Amino acid sequence: GAVVSQHPSRVICKSGTSVKIECRSLDFQATTMFWYRQFPKQSLMLMATSNEGSKATYEQGVEKDKFLINHASLTLSTLTVTSAHPEDSSFYICSAMGAMNTEAFFGQGTRLTVV
Amino acid sequence: GDSVTQMEGPVTLSEEAFLTINCTYTATGYPSLFWYVQYPGEGLQLLLKATKADDKGSNKGFEATYRKETTSFHLEKGSVQVSDSAVYFCALSNDMRFGAGTRLTVKP
């Protein structure tokens, strides 16, 4: 299957700082990328959907000014957690889907800890 | 809107037991249906998929049939192993929203 690389895998940051997470499709063009937040006890919440060159569509309750998503190219999307707080600590996962839209491929996730 | 309802569990089975994890969906059009698996400490991997009604996806002994008449995509395995312990997610291709996930623990 296709490969999606997510970086970093782990990051620790101080409260009030911003953190950028990258999601790259390595061997296909990702027309659509999805960002998720995984809470304890495995629930996987869709945060936003982004199409290349367009503004992301955020799910209800997700603050778009806090979780900035950029999908400037067909191989890269970024999620920036701005002014991070301890409650933002979580596991963030991206996935990417190509133009044929038959399957999404997932990154390995980023464990964010805000101290 | 589109949605997925998944049996939440947790599910605990003995090795070689039969497994069923229920998944039903509500969708417009004809989405593809997926089962993803997340092993401890890892990201999600596609386990199997079905792209149209009556298709059966299968992989690693797991099977699921896309049943339009019952809007279901139940995951089954005839004989589970300890290595199958993981969290299983059902999903629709329309918007890639996931069910709540089902944690499976298989004991020796």
Side-chain angles (χ1 to χ4, degrees):
Chain A
V3 178
V4 173
S5 174
Q6 187 173 341
H7 179 81
S9 58
R10 291 179 177 273
V11 59
I12 300 173
C13 71
K14 293 184 178 180
S15 289
T17 62
S18 295
V19 174
K20 181 183 286 188
I21 302 170
E22 293 187 348
C23 182
R24 294 181 183 272
S25 57
L26 298 185
D27 50 5
F28 70 103
Q29 293 186 327
T31 52
T32 306
M33 285 192 172
F34 305 89
W35 286 96
Y36 300 86
R37 180 173 178 175
Q38 188 168 34
F39 294 95
K41 298 186 179 180
Q42 86 262 350
S43 175
L44 199 68
M45 183 192 81
L46 178 65
M47 299 174 67
T49 302
S50 72
N51 293 298
E52 185 265 338
S54 303
K55 289 185 178 180
T57 301
Y58 288 81
E59 294 297 298
Q60 191 172 4
V62 178
E63 298 176 60
K64 62 181 180 181
D65 294 330
K66 180 167 186 61
F67 297 100
L68 300 178
I69 291 172
N70 182 282
H71 190 172
S73 79
L74 284 170
T75 59
L76 174 64
S77 177
T78 60
L79 166 66
T80 301
V81 183
T82 62
S83 187
H85 286 223
E87 55 264 33
D88 298 326
S89 299
S90 193
F91 193 57
Y92 293 87
I93 303 174
C94 73
S95 72
M97 184 179 282
M100 296 303 291
N101 205 35
T102 59
E103 182 179 340
F105 299 94
F106 282 77
Q108 288 300 98
T110 297
R111 173 70 62 189
L112 170 64
T113 303
V114 184
V115 298
Chain B
D2 295 355
S3 66
V4 172
T5 302
Q6 182 180 344
M7 181 175 80
E8 292 194 22
V11 175
T12 302
L13 296 173
S14 297
E15 207 164 21
E16 299 184 2
F18 183 84
L19 168 72
T20 299
I21 301 176
N22 290 339
C23 173
T24 56
Y25 67 91
T26 303
T28 54
Y30 304 97
S32 296
L33 300 174
F34 307 102
W35 277 101
Y36 282 86
V37 59
Q38 185 178 32
Y39 297 103
E42 299 184 11
L44 274 73
Q45 304 172 27
L46 179 67
L47 178 61
L48 54 84
K49 66 179 180 182
T51 58
K52 61 183 187 295
D54 300 325
D55 265 3
K56 178 186 284 187
S58 61
N59 185 27
K60 299 181 181 179
F62 291 90
E63 293 183 342
T65 301
Y66 189 158
R67 300 206 183 278
K68 191 178 176 186
E69 64 276 13
T70 54
T71 62
S72 65
F73 193 54
H74 304 322
L75 182 68
E76 297 182 336
K77 185 173 185 179
S79 176
V80 293
Q81 305 300 312
V82 173
S83 57
D84 294 326
S85 298
V87 181
Y88 294 81
F89 295 92
C90 185
L92 287 172
S93 65
N94 282 2
D95 54 15
M96 289 308 296
R97 283 193 179 83
F98 283 79
T102 302
R103 180 175 297 278
L104 169 66
T105 301
V106 180
K107 296 187 174 181

